[in-house]
Amino acid sequence: MSTDSKWLSWLKFQFTDIMAKSNRLNRNELHVTLADFLENFHFKDPFLAERLFCYLDKDNSGTLSLHEFIDGLEVVVNGTEEEKIEFLFKVFDIDNDGRISYDEIRLLLKCCLEDSPSLDVQETVDDIAAVLFK
């Protein structure tokens, strides 16, 4: 079994374990709320977790089914290059206008780099955002 397959299996187990603990059952399918997602997957930055949750919530129900969760992560792990680029674009396009603005890039880079003790985050974010827009 590949490392990616093991990772997906572990995440599937985590997802079902969260639901078993929460005792949430809806039409015979387990669902996770954003609060469950944030609490149980221990993201460093809740903003990035919310963006990932929104990407994975394909039916815009405000909950994730096991099917949505696994299918979305399958794209991230085993998708084509085009599918992975689409994933990143949708996560970065915060206002869902079909464009990635300079401010959206800066905000997401800041979230990604905020916990790095060796960086001047503001300067680093500005530098990386400028390069990306060139």
Side-chain angles (χ1 to χ4, degrees):
M1 184 181 281
S2 74
T3 302
D4 290 341
S5 296
K6 289 177 186 176
W7 181 73
L8 284 172
S9 293
W10 179 82
L11 286 172
K12 182 177 179 181
F13 171 79
Q14 290 294 106
F15 186 95
T16 54
D17 190 50
I18 292 165
M19 292 301 84
K21 289 176 186 172
S22 300
N23 263 340
R24 291 200 180 115
L25 193 60
N26 182 12
R27 287 176 275 155
N28 296 325
E29 189 170 357
L30 299 172
H31 289 78
V32 171
T33 65
L34 176 58
D36 294 327
F37 193 71
L38 291 169
E39 181 181 333
N40 291 284
F41 283 100
H42 309 289
F43 288 92
K44 283 185 178 181
D45 191 308
F47 182 75
L48 288 177
E50 289 172 20
R51 294 300 305 150
L52 179 59
F53 185 91
C54 288
Y55 168 78
L56 295 172
D57 182 17
K58 295 295 185 191
D59 65 1
N60 296 314
S61 65
T63 63
L64 293 181
S65 68
L66 179 60
H67 180 73
E68 286 175 314
F69 183 73
I70 296 301
D71 283 356
L73 294 178
E74 185 74 36
V75 167
V76 174
V77 174
N78 297 319
T80 65
E81 189 172 310
E82 189 172 297
E83 289 170 325
K84 290 177 182 182
I85 290 170
E86 181 182 345
F87 159 75
L88 289 172
F89 188 90
K90 286 182 178 181
V91 170
F92 276 70
D93 184 16
I94 297 166
D95 61 6
N96 298 314
D97 68 352
R99 297 174 183 216
I100 298 176
S101 71
Y102 183 82
D103 289 336
E104 288 169 329
I105 289 273
R106 285 187 74 255
L107 178 60
L108 285 162
L109 288 171
K110 185 177 181 213
C111 290
C112 292
L113 298 172
E114 213 161 50
D115 291 328
S116 179
S118 62
L119 295 176
D120 176 347
V121 172
Q122 190 60 46
E123 184 178 323
T124 303
V125 166
D126 290 341
D127 291 344
I128 295 171
V131 168
L132 289 172
F133 266 84
K134 283 185 181 179

